[in-house]
Amino acid sequence: MDRRQFIKLSSLFGGGIAISTQLTGCGATFQPDGDDYVPAATFTHGVASGDPTANSIILWTRAVPENNNSSGYVRWQLATSPDFAAPIRSGVIKAERSRDYTVKVDVRDLPAGQRYYYRFFTSETRSPTGQTLTLDNGVVDRVKFAVFSCANFPAGYFNAYDAAAKDNSVDVVLHLGDYIYEYPRGGYATANADAIGRSFVPGNEGELLNLTDYRTRYAQYRGDKGLQLLHQRKPFIAVWDDHEIANDTFMSGAENHNEGDGDFFARRTAAIQAYYEWLPIRPPMGDENPQIYRYFEFGNLVSLYMLDTRVIGRDEQLSLRNYKLANGSFDFQSLQRDINDPARTLLGSEQFNWLKKHVASGNNRWHVLGQQILMGKMHYPAEIIATTNRQAVPGVIAELMELRQKQLAGQTLTREEQQRLSVKIPYNLDAWDGYAAERDKVLKLFSQEGKSLVVLAGDTHNGWANTIADSSGNTVAVEYGTPGVTSPGFEGYLGLTDKQAEDLARALPLLIDEVEYCNLHQRGYMSVEFTLGQVNTAWHYVSNIKDTSYTVRTQHRERFVG
């Protein structure tokens, strides 16, 4: 097979990803002919890498040909030194208008545990140089993740990305979703956009509904210098949440897909296509398939399961308002029946069986769920949920905290006071709390095999450390939730001052059984370091998102020994 045939065949079977093995190694002499040759291209959004394995890595760039070419080939190189004195792989790949000029190369048959440098170029232009790696195999002493979620462009600058890019101890970035938001100008968290210079580009001010809309939004997000730097320096392992499509997505619809928005599945298809184009990801079943769950192994140290709790298997969310009775009371019995319905699913049977198979065969020290939503039981005293005036919530919580402190001090509470503390309901049925039976099934996969489970979550915009108990009350896992990059947290939802948010964060671990730590008002990211002996998690918060001047502070650490 000659080189041109191989390139065409690789593109056909790779779902838009050119596959590079030793067949396109150093010394390639292929020269595009005629209109295929592009003497210059603008590498508009830097470079990126992702989905590393022990012997492969995805390389990404966006190469827009000059002179209004509809497509054209660009070159790429991979080396073990930044001067590219002796590239170990090189080749060509076609940038096509049909893929928004995004290109991906799946470089395979590489040595494990190696750091690499890569770049794209034409005869006249060159991309920035990226840094990436392949995963270690065999005995691994340490690996460190930087964990992100919920980056809303008009809400602020992506300083958390910039901070992690400059942390040389971070090996791999885990992005747990809400990489973009679909809302229009004037929608969620856009109030300060004009003042801070984060308005949407002309023509993209509306809600995202079609392929052009989603592509344009990704292009604007990827213009952020902090995000570009993080992609350039660290490989990503990413999964979507809901806002890559629409708020509170489920299998057949979304809360933010309304009458007049067109066909939901057409919208979902467009959103997924844009996601696969713009993220350095290896689609497990091809670019048009919504299956995104996949598995990564870090030697004998970490088994990482990247799950989809949003698109392919999720039943529609329950709503607390549907359990309020006409007389003003609340139907707790029906709520408990429905959230514990064994037929309700987040993952779907195919994904669950895939997870079960991998858990049974994996013997690594730590097992990690990289997924979108909180798994810990966020069961609040019902009085908090029933308070319709959000501004009154801090006062209610202060009263309940005082009662809890009396209870812990051994003071006698009245029956009414005891009920105020003991009657609890889940506040967020979009999370695993709304799918309790399947949560128990997933937890049993690990507990029955004696596996040490660490759950990583995003979605809430707040920092969390939780213990997770099974239906019998036995602690079977820990959970760490990353704060939002820019999306506002509880302080925005409840209209709290920083002090009120800090007071609330101190109260919740007393009022919610599984919460050990939370931060409800600061933006940032989380780092999670695994060694054979323990898991070290730290929450890093940036001082500012209104411009690119910031400091970063590590405000909390947790250690788990399994």
Side-chain angles (χ1 to χ4, degrees):
M1 181 185 299
D2 67 29
R3 194 170 306 279
R4 182 181 289 274
Q5 287 176 317
F6 178 80
I7 292 168
K8 290 181 177 178
L9 192 62
S10 297
S11 296
L12 176 64
F13 285 98
I17 303 176
I19 301 172
S20 171
T21 67
Q22 293 288 0
L23 288 173
T24 55
C26 185
T29 58
F30 170 69
Q31 176 70 43
D33 298 322
D35 292 339
D36 283 341
Y37 178 66
V38 178
T42 304
F43 296 98
T44 56
H45 291 82
V47 296
S49 68
D51 276 13
T53 71
N55 59 18
S56 67
I57 187 71
I58 296 285
L59 307 181
W60 179 99
T61 194
R62 185 170 188 253
V64 181
E66 294 185 2
N67 302 321
N68 297 316
N69 290 37
S70 62
S71 63
Y73 283 99
V74 296
R75 298 182 178 277
W76 61 271
Q77 289 178 325
L78 183 79
T80 55
S81 62
D83 61 5
F84 292 88
I88 64 169
R89 292 285 198 285
S90 64
V92 293
I93 185 169
K94 197 171 190 178
E96 299 181 274
R97 181 179 293 168
S98 63
R99 297 189 57 79
D100 205 18
Y101 300 110
T102 63
V103 297
K104 287 193 275 190
V105 185
D106 192 351
V107 189
R108 301 183 179 181
D109 299 335
L110 294 170
Q114 177 70 56
R115 294 192 177 270
Y116 296 98
Y117 299 86
Y118 63 97
R119 64 187 180 184
F120 297 82
F121 59 96
T122 70
S123 61
E124 297 180 12
T125 54
R126 181 173 297 170
S127 75
T129 294
Q131 304 172 43
T132 192
L133 53 79
T134 50
L135 305 186
D136 286 307
N137 57 13
V139 177
V140 178
D141 296 325
R142 173 200 167 276
V143 66
K144 187 173 184 179
F145 301 146
V147 186
F148 293 90
S149 181
C150 305
N152 192 321
F153 186 92
Y157 288 82
F158 297 158
N159 294 331
Y161 290 145
D162 186 76
K166 297 171 181 175
D167 183 349
N168 292 329
S169 68
V170 169
D171 300 302
V172 174
V173 170
L174 302 188
H175 202 291
L176 302 181
D178 293 347
Y179 186 94
I180 66 166
Y181 280 73
E182 85 283 10
Y183 291 115
R185 176 185 176 92
Y188 173 73
T190 65
N192 296 322
D194 292 344
I196 64 175
R198 300 284 277 188
S199 300
F200 295 134
V201 296
N204 197 235
E205 297 99 338
E207 185 174 324
L208 308 186
L209 296 174
N210 58 48
L211 182 58
T212 298
D213 293 340
Y214 285 101
R215 282 173 167 174
T216 304
R217 189 66 55 88
Y218 276 103
Q220 183 167 22
Y221 271 61
R222 289 291 289 273
D224 182 275
K225 298 303 181 184
L227 180 53
Q228 282 195 18
L229 187 65
L230 185 59
H231 272 300
Q232 181 181 341
R233 293 187 177 180
K234 313 288 182 182
F236 270 53
I237 298 175
V239 68
W240 52 54
D241 193 11
D242 52 343
H243 290 290
E244 287 88 349
I245 302 171
N247 182 55
D248 286 357
T249 296
F250 53 95
M251 271 192 291
S252 58
E255 179 276 335
N256 195 31
H257 187 82
N258 304 302
E259 186 177 354
D261 287 343
D263 179 75
F264 171 75
F265 292 102
R267 180 183 189 179
R268 192 183 78 172
T269 297
I272 288 173
Q273 179 178 336
Y275 182 89
Y276 281 151
E277 288 173 350
W278 279 87
L279 271 291
I281 190 173
R282 185 183 293 110
M285 299 294 291
D287 285 2
E288 296 182 357
N289 193 303
Q291 178 181 316
I292 197 174
Y293 59 86
R294 57 211 195 281
Y295 173 77
F296 297 87
E297 193 166 79
F298 297 77
N300 65 325
L301 189 60
V302 172
S303 291
L304 173 63
Y305 313 87
M306 295 296 285
L307 301 183
D308 175 13
T309 64
R310 184 57 68 179
V311 174
I312 63 171
R314 175 189 279 262
D315 288 325
E316 185 173 359
Q317 300 87 340
L318 302 173
S319 174
L320 288 174
R321 63 176 173 267
N322 293 335
Y323 298 91
K324 293 181 179 180
L325 302 177
N327 61 6
S329 62
F330 194 88
D331 189 352
F332 290 98
Q333 185 175 1
S334 294
L335 174 63
Q336 290 299 316
R337 179 198 66 214
D338 291 345
I339 64 175
N340 288 286
D341 182 354
R344 283 183 59 73
T345 179
L346 269 175
L347 303 181
S349 59
E350 184 176 336
Q351 184 177 193
F352 180 85
N353 289 333
W354 167 88
L355 179 62
K356 181 178 180 180
K357 178 181 178 180
H358 275 290
V359 172
S361 61
N363 293 310
N364 292 339
R365 173 65 178 91
W366 303 103
H367 293 256
V368 181
L369 295 182
Q371 50 88 63
Q372 298 82 355
I373 53 177
L374 286 178
M375 184 173 275
K377 298 180 184 67
M378 291 290 174
H379 292 186
Y380 284 59
E383 187 176 346
I384 298 174
I385 308 300
T387 301
T388 56
N389 180 0
R390 290 188 298 176
Q391 282 68 39
V393 169
V396 173
I397 290 174
E399 292 178 16
L400 294 172
M401 187 174 177
E402 182 178 354
L403 292 178
R404 178 60 174 155
Q405 289 170 331
K406 289 181 179 179
Q407 188 179 57
L408 292 173
Q411 298 181 33
T412 301
L413 301 183
T414 67
R415 183 177 179 181
E416 180 183 355
E417 289 172 333
Q418 292 174 4
Q419 286 183 328
R420 291 182 69 185
L421 292 175
S422 63
V423 178
K424 298 181 178 181
I425 57 175
Y427 92 101
N428 183 7
L429 300 182
D430 182 61
W432 281 92
D433 271 341
Y435 306 80
E438 185 158 90
R439 173 173 55 197
D440 286 341
K441 284 177 59 180
V442 170
L443 293 175
K444 285 179 182 178
L445 293 180
F446 296 91
S447 61
Q448 289 177 349
E449 296 282 344
K451 306 294 174 67
S452 295
L453 177 59
V454 177
V455 180
L456 304 179
D459 184 61
T460 69
H461 314 166
N462 302 296
W464 302 92
N466 305 322
T467 58
I468 301 179
D470 61 18
S471 57
S472 299
N474 302 310
T475 298
V476 294
V478 294
E479 176 175 51
Y480 303 124
T482 187
V485 174
T486 60
S487 295
F490 266 52
E491 87 288 358
Y493 177 71
L494 296 176
L496 306 178
T497 64
D498 285 356
K499 183 181 183 306
Q500 288 174 321
E502 290 168 357
D503 291 342
L504 178 57
R506 284 190 292 269
L508 291 186
L510 289 175
L511 298 176
I512 304 175
D513 296 337
E514 295 190 0
V515 174
E516 300 291 324
Y517 158 79
C518 61
N519 178 293
L520 306 177
H521 72 292
Q522 291 177 289
R523 312 284 76 82
Y525 72 102
M526 184 171 71
S527 63
V528 188
E529 180 185 53
F530 296 87
T531 68
L532 288 172
Q534 61 192 36
V535 180
N536 298 305
T537 304
W539 286 260
H540 312 281
Y541 299 101
V542 295
S543 60
N544 175 49
I545 60 172
K546 294 181 180 179
D547 56 48
T548 55
S549 300
Y550 72 94
T551 58
V552 61
R553 181 182 177 189
T554 302
Q555 291 191 201
H556 187 76
R557 298 181 187 270
E558 292 274 340
R559 183 169 68 96
F560 176 54
V561 296

